[in-house]
């Protein structure tokens, strides 16, 4: 620890009286532990350990008397060797920890877990153990913690056997986090922190959200070390505000005078300030240093908050717009439309939006530069009103550039009424090469059942939609396209335009589409309902003894109620351990998950088609499932076989499945017929009912008839 240069000079000069005076003044002024530790180490470095010891004793007595346990622990860990022998020092450290955490339910167990009570004479190791112990005690039972993706929760158990913490989050109760992963995944929330208050006083926060939206937002932002994005704010507060009220709450809260919106590397961030004046000054400072896009973003977010600021920012934007009109018309157009929307456009200016759009040699390119959707929408409207001669051609070019669905609707609607051939040509190109304009193709797919798609080949449109996720350019639109397959979605209505030949091709396209079964099946069902000839044949029954059926049903219930839930819990616990790439427990749990789900699906399919197999009441005329067959060869060697279901099959005991090759060969034969078995011909001597249980069948061994 560094000490004042004059004190170091006093030590070097041997003026220890001055050093002692400085020490005593420090005690009177309640200097922090670092001061005393640094001074005592400097004395020790000068060979004056014996002079440092009584001074440390004075400090130690004062810290104990004042119950300053945090400060005492720092002194003991950094300079305690000058004050106590190693074993005694260990005892003092442990006693201080017990005073520092008097209500901790886990202190003793965690001290044992980190090995603090072992090798008590090794001070350096014990110092590391104390650091480890205190890191774990941050998450002691009752602590309120934050975990990304889970929110705030309370630690409800410290499991010393499994080395993990059990935490109750709102949507993830009972989540376990390992001791090793805790410091990486969890953050202890101090008293008064807004996210902690969500756990401790949720009703008070809900009332604050209702009564003063801005105050709640300010409280959140003040509790954070860094500004937050709108998405992060929503994740933190949506459960307090309510999803149904979020939009209205957010619109009101972000206009609080202490809220400042920032743009960093293209990301919109929000932070809080100490006062409305500070917020206003922060906006002015950010505006002065921003480019045109940044200035416009700050204008849109802050217009209407302060009248004098509006006037100041509007005048600056008008100046920038007028300068940009000749060389950078896109910037000038964006500025004009933003000012006009707020009622702040300059009067009688030659660079108005109408003037720029009318004079532009390529108005489509000019309008397409507008990043703000409402601004583009207004520009499109003005193009149609101001360019009577060529606006359809401009709209056709804009269709090739636009990605917003609402604006594509407006452009398409305008062309359908004025120049439908231009719209048809665009749609044909879009259907032929959807990867050139992914957003526009997703727009067309969502309108598959609407008039805009009526002239398209319905089979080709369906095939392109179903194949889209296979293409990298369209992969990001998979979720939007998946919704089209749901019952009542536009693809179901698209089926109404198919003929028989197209329906057969559509069935193949649906079956191989890269979507989950639960998404494809409703569309297949709708197709089969409209075209019954495509329906698959009836399910082939599976026959089994009632006891076997009962066994499989019990296995299915065990999977559903015990094994799969336990596996899900194991996955969550393994995921909490950290890096999934090197996490053996996570990989093993995931492999187990895949096996259990595959087994569950197979059991469900089999039990849906299973039928009870019972032995006939009397000897049947021919071999069929449920029978026992007695065979004999030319030498008189006998064999007995039972023909049962695949679940009972046990060839070693003479139980043959009716689905096996030998079972199919035996089926339908009568007494007196012959059958080849193990390279020898056997004659069927008798056909009789099989025993009720497969275990009663003959072992199938051969014996000589005397």
């Amino acid at each position: 620890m560094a000490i004042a240069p004059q004190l170091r000079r006093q030590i070097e000069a041997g003026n220890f009286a001055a050093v002692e005076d400085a020490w005593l003044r420090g005690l009177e002024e309640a200097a922090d532990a670092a001061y005393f530790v640094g001074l005592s180490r400097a004395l020790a470095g000068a060979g004056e350990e014996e002079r440092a010891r009584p001074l440390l004793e004075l400090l130690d007595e004062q810290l104990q008397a004042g119950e300053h346990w945090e400060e005492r622990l720092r002194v003991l860990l950094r300079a305690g060797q000058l004050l106590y022998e190693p074993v005694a020092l260990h005892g003092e450290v442990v006693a201080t920890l017990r005073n520092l955490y008097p209500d901790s339910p886990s202190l003793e167990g965690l001290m044992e877990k980190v090995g603090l009570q072992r090798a008590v004479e090794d001070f350096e190791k014990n110092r590391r153990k104390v650091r480890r112990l205190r890191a774990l005690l941050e998450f002691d039972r009752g602590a309120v913690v934050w975990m990304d993706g889970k929110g705030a929760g309370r630690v409800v158990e410290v499991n010393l056997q499994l080395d993990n913490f059990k935490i109750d989050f709102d949507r993830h109760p009972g989540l376990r986090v390992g001791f090793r992963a805790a410091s990486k995944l969890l953050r202890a929330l101090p008293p008064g922190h807004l996210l902690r208050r969500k756990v401790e006083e949720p009703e008070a926060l809900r009332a604050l959200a209702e009564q003063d939206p801005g105050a709640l937002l300010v409280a959140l932002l003040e509790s954070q070390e860094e500004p937050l994005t709108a998405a992060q704010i929503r994740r933190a507060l949506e459960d307090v505000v309510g999803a149904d009220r979020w939009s209205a709450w957010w619109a009101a809260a972000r206009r609080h005078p202490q809220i400042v919106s920032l743009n960093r590397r293209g990301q919109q961030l929000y932070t809080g300030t100490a006062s409305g004046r500070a917020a206003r000054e922060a906006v002015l400072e950010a505006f002065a240093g921003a480019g045109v896009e940044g200035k416009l973003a700050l204008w849109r977010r802050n217009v209407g908050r302060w009248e004098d600021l509006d006037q100041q920012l509007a005048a600056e934007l008008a100046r920038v717009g007028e300068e940009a009109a000749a060389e950078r018309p896109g910037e000038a157009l964006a500025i004009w439309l933003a000012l006009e929307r707020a009622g702040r456009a300059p009067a009688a200016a030659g660079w108005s939006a109408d003037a720029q759009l009318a004079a532009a040699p390529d108005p489509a390119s000019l309008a397409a530069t507008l990043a703000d959707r409402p601004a583009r929408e207004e520009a499109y409207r003005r193009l149609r009103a101001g360019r009577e001669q060529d606006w359809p051609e401009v709209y056709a070019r804009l269709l090739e550039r636009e990605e917003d669905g609402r604006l594509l609707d407006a452009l398409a609607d305008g062309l359908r009424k004025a120049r439908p051939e231009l719209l048809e040509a665009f749609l044909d190109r879009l259907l032929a090469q959807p990867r050139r304009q992914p957003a526009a193709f997703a727009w067309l797919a969502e309108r598959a059942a609407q008039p805009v798609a009526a002239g398209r080949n319905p089979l080709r449109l369906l095939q392109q939609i179903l194949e889209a996720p296979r293409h990298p350019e369209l992969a990001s639109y998979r979720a939007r396209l998946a919704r089209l397959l749901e019952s009542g979605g536009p693809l179901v209505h698209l089926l109404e335009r198919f003929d028989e030949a197209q329906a057969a091709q559509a069935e193949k396209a649906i079956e191989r589409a890269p979507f989950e079964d639960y998404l494809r099946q409703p569309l297949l069902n709708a197709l089969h309902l409209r075209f019954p000839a495509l329906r698959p044949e009836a399910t082939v029954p599976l026959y089994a003894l009632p006891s076997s059926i009962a066994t499989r049903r019990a296995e299915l219930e065990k999977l559903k109620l015990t094994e799969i839930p336990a596996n899900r819990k194991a996955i969550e616990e393994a995921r909490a351990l950290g890096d999934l790439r090197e996490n053996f427990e996570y990989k093993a749990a995931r492999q187990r998950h895949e096996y259990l789900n595959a087994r569950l699906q197979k059991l469900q399919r089999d039990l849906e088609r299973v039928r009870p197999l019972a032995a006939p009441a009397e000897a049947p005329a021919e071999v069929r499932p449920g029978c026992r067959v007695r065979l004999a060869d030319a030498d008189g060697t006998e064999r007995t076989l039972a023909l049962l279901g695949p679940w009972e099959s046990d060839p070693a005991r003479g139980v043959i499945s009716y689905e096996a090759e030998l079972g199919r060969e035996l089926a339908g034969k009568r007494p007196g017929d012959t059958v080849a078995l193990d390279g020898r011909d056997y004659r069927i001597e008798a056909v009789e009912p099989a025993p009720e249980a497969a275990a009663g069948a003959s072992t199938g061994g051969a014996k000589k008839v005397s």
Side-chain angles (χ1 to χ4, degrees):
M1 299 292 172
I3 61 172
Q6 63 269 28
L7 280 176
R8 187 171 297 281
R9 287 194 295 270
Q10 298 284 10
I11 293 173
E12 291 172 354
N15 187 2
F16 299 115
V19 174
E20 291 174 358
D21 288 343
W23 187 284
L24 294 173
R25 284 197 304 274
L27 289 177
E28 292 175 1
E29 296 168 3
D32 63 18
Y35 173 82
F36 296 109
V37 169
L39 195 51
S40 62
R41 286 187 173 181
L43 285 169
E48 297 294 331
E49 292 93 341
E50 292 303 318
R51 196 177 296 276
R53 185 171 293 112
L55 296 176
L56 281 170
E57 288 174 352
L58 283 174
L59 171 65
D60 194 31
E61 290 172 3
Q62 183 167 312
L63 291 176
Q64 291 187 70
E67 298 185 347
H68 301 303
W69 305 118
E70 183 71 45
E71 292 290 295
R72 184 179 193 238
L73 184 63
R74 290 180 190 172
V75 171
L76 291 176
L77 292 178
R78 295 174 184 177
Q81 289 172 300
L82 297 173
L83 191 56
Y84 295 102
E85 294 299 321
V87 175
L89 176 58
H90 173 271
E92 293 298 323
V93 167
V94 170
T96 303
L97 285 168
R98 287 174 175 149
N99 282 308
L100 189 57
Y101 300 98
D103 302 319
S104 169
S106 311
L107 176 63
E108 300 299 328
L110 287 174
M111 283 199 296
E112 184 65 33
K113 176 61 68 175
V114 301
L116 189 58
Q117 303 291 25
R118 300 189 295 274
V120 298
E121 70 286 347
D122 192 330
F123 179 69
E124 287 303 319
K125 281 188 178 179
N126 284 329
R127 183 154 49 187
R128 292 194 294 271
K129 291 172 184 176
V130 169
R131 285 199 295 268
R132 172 67 175 152
L133 170 68
R134 299 198 72 191
L136 292 174
L137 284 169
E138 279 196 80
F139 314 117
D140 201 358
R141 194 172 75 222
V144 179
V145 299
W146 175 266
M147 183 175 182
D148 285 343
K150 303 293 186 293
R154 189 184 294 277
V155 179
V156 295
E157 178 187 333
V158 179
N159 193 313
L160 299 173
Q161 287 71 43
L162 299 178
D163 287 2
N164 62 34
F165 301 103
K166 181 179 179 182
I167 308 164
D168 277 350
F169 296 100
D170 265 353
R171 299 178 184 177
H172 302 274
L175 182 66
R176 293 190 179 273
V177 177
F179 285 171
R180 290 185 178 277
S183 60
K184 298 177 183 178
L185 300 178
L186 303 176
R187 176 163 59 95
L189 299 176
H193 194 289
L194 184 108
L195 299 177
R196 178 168 179 153
R197 291 171 62 193
K198 283 178 59 178
V199 176
E200 297 178 333
E201 45 180 310
E203 293 305 321
L205 288 186
R206 291 190 184 100
L208 182 61
E210 182 76 29
Q211 298 161 11
D212 193 343
L216 177 62
L217 181 55
V218 169
L220 172 67
L221 295 173
E222 287 180 342
S223 70
Q224 304 299 308
E225 296 179 0
E226 295 290 335
L228 300 180
T229 65
Q232 289 172 322
I233 292 170
R234 181 162 190 163
R235 283 198 296 272
L237 294 180
E238 187 176 41
D239 54 343
V240 175
V241 175
D244 57 332
R245 297 183 54 249
W246 181 262
S247 296
W249 179 89
W250 175 240
R254 65 182 175 177
R255 302 193 74 80
H256 190 281
Q258 289 176 240
I259 303 299
V260 176
S261 177
L262 308 170
N263 190 293
R264 291 184 184 172
R265 296 182 293 276
Q267 187 177 42
Q268 198 59 45
L269 300 171
Y270 295 86
T271 188
T273 61
S275 66
R277 180 188 293 270
R280 183 181 177 282
E281 291 173 354
V283 171
L284 269 174
E285 182 181 354
F287 188 88
V292 172
E293 283 300 320
K295 290 181 189 299
L296 285 171
L298 285 164
W299 168 259
R300 295 186 189 105
R301 287 192 299 274
N302 293 285
V303 65
R305 296 179 71 180
W306 302 283
E307 174 62 25
D308 61 332
L309 185 65
D310 286 356
Q311 294 177 7
Q312 189 174 348
L313 298 187
E316 176 62 15
L317 282 173
R319 184 191 65 78
V320 173
E322 188 170 9
E323 290 179 355
E327 301 295 331
R328 303 183 305 280
E331 291 181 2
L333 179 60
I335 290 172
W336 183 277
L337 292 173
L339 291 173
E340 188 177 66
R341 194 183 315 156
R344 298 278 182 175
W351 57 282
S352 70
D354 289 334
Q356 293 180 75
L357 290 169
D362 186 359
S365 295
L366 177 59
T369 63
L370 298 170
D372 183 52
R373 187 195 61 77
R376 289 203 311 283
E377 184 175 21
E378 177 61 19
Y380 296 171
R381 186 190 67 78
R382 290 176 184 237
L383 279 169
R384 184 171 180 176
R387 300 184 67 113
E388 295 183 3
Q389 299 301 317
D390 66 348
W391 74 262
E393 288 78 10
V394 176
Y395 268 33
R397 292 196 296 275
L398 285 168
L399 279 173
E400 302 285 350
R401 300 167 178 263
E402 186 57 64
E403 295 187 354
D404 183 86
R406 177 174 166 180
L407 298 187
L408 284 166
D409 281 337
L411 294 169
D413 186 61
L415 285 179
R416 185 164 49 251
K417 295 173 182 176
R419 296 282 299 279
E421 73 279 6
L422 294 177
L423 176 62
E424 293 297 314
F426 165 73
L427 295 174
D428 287 341
R429 291 193 300 273
L430 189 60
L431 186 57
Q433 295 181 300
R435 284 181 281 180
R436 288 184 57 189
Q437 286 183 262
F441 178 74
W443 163 79
L444 177 62
E446 289 169 338
R447 288 149 182 80
Q450 296 180 16
V452 70
R456 314 278 70 75
N457 180 327
L459 177 61
R460 181 62 173 159
L461 180 55
L462 178 71
Q463 290 171 330
Q464 291 284 43
I465 292 171
L466 294 176
E467 286 295 309
R470 298 190 195 277
H471 306 304
E473 301 90 340
L474 287 154
S476 61
Y477 295 91
R478 188 184 190 284
R480 283 173 61 181
L481 297 175
R483 288 194 289 270
L484 308 183
L485 278 68
E486 297 173 354
S487 298
L491 296 195
V492 173
H493 298 288
L494 189 63
L495 304 180
E496 298 171 2
R497 295 163 48 196
F498 288 179
D499 57 29
E500 293 284 347
Q502 290 174 321
Q505 295 182 63
E507 182 182 46
K508 294 178 182 177
I510 296 169
E511 288 175 343
R512 66 169 179 262
F515 292 100
E516 293 82 356
D517 287 346
Y518 77 90
L519 290 170
R520 291 186 287 110
Q521 196 58 49
L523 195 58
L524 275 175
N525 293 342
L527 185 69
H528 293 158
L529 185 64
R530 182 165 179 78
F531 299 95
L534 295 177
R535 290 177 183 171
E537 296 180 4
T539 302
V540 177
L542 170 68
Y543 292 98
L545 292 175
S547 58
S548 297
I549 297 174
T551 299
R552 292 303 194 279
R553 291 194 191 282
E555 183 183 355
L556 180 65
E557 288 302 302
K558 184 178 179 183
L559 280 170
K560 286 182 178 179
L561 302 178
T562 304
E563 296 192 26
I564 289 178
N567 175 250
R568 288 197 194 103
K569 186 175 180 182
I571 290 174
E572 287 294 329
E573 292 176 353
R575 183 183 286 116
L577 295 176
D579 188 355
L580 301 185
R581 294 171 299 178
E582 304 296 333
N583 192 329
F584 172 78
E585 291 84 355
Y586 178 77
K587 291 178 181 177
R590 289 296 305 178
Q591 290 172 355
R592 175 72 173 163
H593 171 78
E594 292 170 6
Y595 164 75
L596 291 174
N597 277 278
R599 180 60 179 160
L600 175 74
Q601 292 174 18
K602 186 175 189 317
L603 280 172
Q604 288 175 329
R605 289 195 299 269
D606 287 348
L607 287 169
E608 285 175 359
R609 64 189 184 100
V610 75
R611 304 288 185 272
L613 175 65
E618 54 187 38
E622 61 184 29
V623 179
R624 67 186 190 191
C627 294
R628 185 167 63 181
V629 184
R630 289 195 289 108
L631 308 165
D633 68 3
D635 296 335
T637 301
E638 287 187 350
R639 295 192 69 170
T640 302
L641 300 175
L643 192 64
L644 299 176
W647 288 353
E648 294 82 32
S649 177
D650 188 354
R653 296 194 302 109
V655 181
I656 307 299
S657 167
Y658 67 81
E659 291 183 343
E661 183 179 353
L662 176 58
R664 290 195 297 271
E665 187 175 348
L666 283 169
K669 293 191 178 297
R670 297 170 176 270
D673 291 343
T674 59
V675 62
L677 184 60
D678 296 334
R680 303 170 68 182
D681 289 335
Y682 283 82
R683 182 175 182 275
I684 296 178
E685 297 294 323
V687 180
E688 56 195 23
E692 185 174 349
S698 168
T699 60
K703 64 176 181 178
K704 193 78 171 181
V705 179
S706 57

